[in-house]
Amino acid sequence: MNTTAKLMIATLMGMAASSAALADDVPYNQVQSLIKDGTIQSLDKLDKVATDKHPEATITDTDLEHEYGRYIYQVELRDAQGQEWDLDIDATSGELLSEERD
């Protein structure tokens, strides 16, 4: 293997490792402990933040990630018009961080 190929592989491996360190899915069995300890709000409260923003929408998927030292609750919604929305909510404070239409 030549030097250029080795450098490319090393760079790609480093990028993969750094991105994995930035965002990790929180295992489901750990979520209840985080709620009980008061580290994050209940999933019902976090779901309500999303549905308050889009009252006629249905939640289609959720995910809790640990990113940059904070817990982010990611919610996917489908509204009455069939539009899909992605919301990021700070799982500790309940603050809506971002909202994007797919």
Side-chain angles (χ1 to χ4, degrees), residues 9-81:
I9 291 170
T11 301
L12 291 172
M13 289 177 67
M15 289 172 58
S18 66
S19 67
L22 298 177
D24 291 321
D25 286 342
V26 177
Y28 180 76
N29 62 353
Q30 201 176 27
V31 173
Q32 291 304 318
S33 296
L34 293 169
I35 294 168
K36 184 179 177 185
D37 295 344
T39 303
I40 66 170
Q41 295 187 18
S42 74
L43 301 183
D44 289 338
K45 286 182 183 177
L46 297 171
D47 286 344
K48 186 168 177 2
V49 171
T51 56
D52 282 353
K53 186 70 177 168
H54 296 275
E56 296 182 20
T58 302
I59 295 174
T60 58
D61 193 22
T62 61
D63 193 27
L64 181 65
E65 291 194 353
H66 191 243
E67 298 180 10
Y68 304 104
R70 63 198 290 197
Y71 290 97
I72 307 297
Y73 189 61
Q74 298 175 331
V75 182
E76 293 180 15
L77 300 163
R78 181 170 315 221
D79 65 19
Q81 292 75 35

Side-chain angles (χ1 to χ4, degrees), residues 81-94:
Q81 292 75 35
Q83 293 291 314
E84 293 184 3
W85 296 87
D86 294 328
L87 282 70
D88 286 352
I89 301 167
D90 183 302
T92 302
S93 68

